[in-house]
Amino acid sequence: MKRLHVHVHVDDLGRSIRFYSTLFAAEPSVVKDDYAKWMLEDPRVNFAISKHAGTSTGISHLGIQTEDETELAEIYDRLARAERPTVEEKGATCCYANSDKQWIADPQGVPWRPSSPMARPRSMAKAR
């Protein structure tokens, strides 16, 4: 079963954790010094926040998380048919996790990278 992934950059991690914990009526499943994540069933979303110096607040990236390689291949196929440039990245590290990703790229084929100083929101598909 697929799960939506939303990652948001925030200014104040502690305040944001309190806000989203109240909104979701759940504590985060992961908390780091600069990051927190909620794995929710209602709505079915992997919601993450992080604080990054020098990065603007707001949506960092959106994605579709899959449970297995078959679901991931299905999403990759849909992305290919959507006629947008994509870049596949095996074993990528993002949101404190390693997984296979396929990033939607700009018209020149340059993928969005979380560590890029010029990062813009992009969608991705990833296997858990």
Side-chain angles (χ1 to χ4, degrees):
M1 180 182 289
K2 295 169 218 51
R3 180 185 300 267
L4 182 65
H5 171 60
V6 177
H7 187 121
V8 177
H9 286 166
V10 299
D11 284 327
D12 185 324
L13 190 67
R15 189 174 98 196
S16 296
I17 288 173
R18 287 188 300 278
F19 172 80
Y20 288 112
S21 293
T22 302
L23 176 66
F24 299 141
E27 293 299 313
S29 56
V30 176
V31 177
K32 305 280 187 184
D33 290 340
D34 62 344
Y35 173 86
K37 175 177 82 173
W38 291 258
M39 291 294 280
L40 303 168
E41 292 304 320
D42 185 19
R44 188 161 167 78
V45 64
N46 168 344
F47 186 86
I49 60 175
S50 65
K51 183 174 179 178
H52 289 281
T55 306
S56 61
T57 59
I59 294 174
S60 168
H61 59 273
L62 306 169
I64 299 171
Q65 179 178 317
T66 65
E67 296 295 325
D68 57 44
E69 294 295 323
T70 302
E71 286 182 338
L72 186 61
E74 177 186 316
I75 297 296
Y76 283 3
D77 181 58
R78 288 185 202 165
L79 282 171
R81 288 184 283 134
E83 299 178 5
R84 289 287 310 269
T86 59
V87 175
E88 190 169 338
E89 206 172 6
K90 296 280 189 184
T93 300
C94 176
C95 299
Y96 284 93
N98 290 333
S99 58
D100 296 340
K101 295 178 178 22
Q102 191 164 27
W103 301 96
I104 295 174
D106 66 18
Q108 290 76 39
V110 177
W112 173 85
R113 297 268 193 261
S115 60
S116 169
M118 301 299 288
R120 304 187 296 279
R122 293 281 187 230
S123 296
M124 66 174 180
K126 68 179 188 174
R128 213 165 72 155

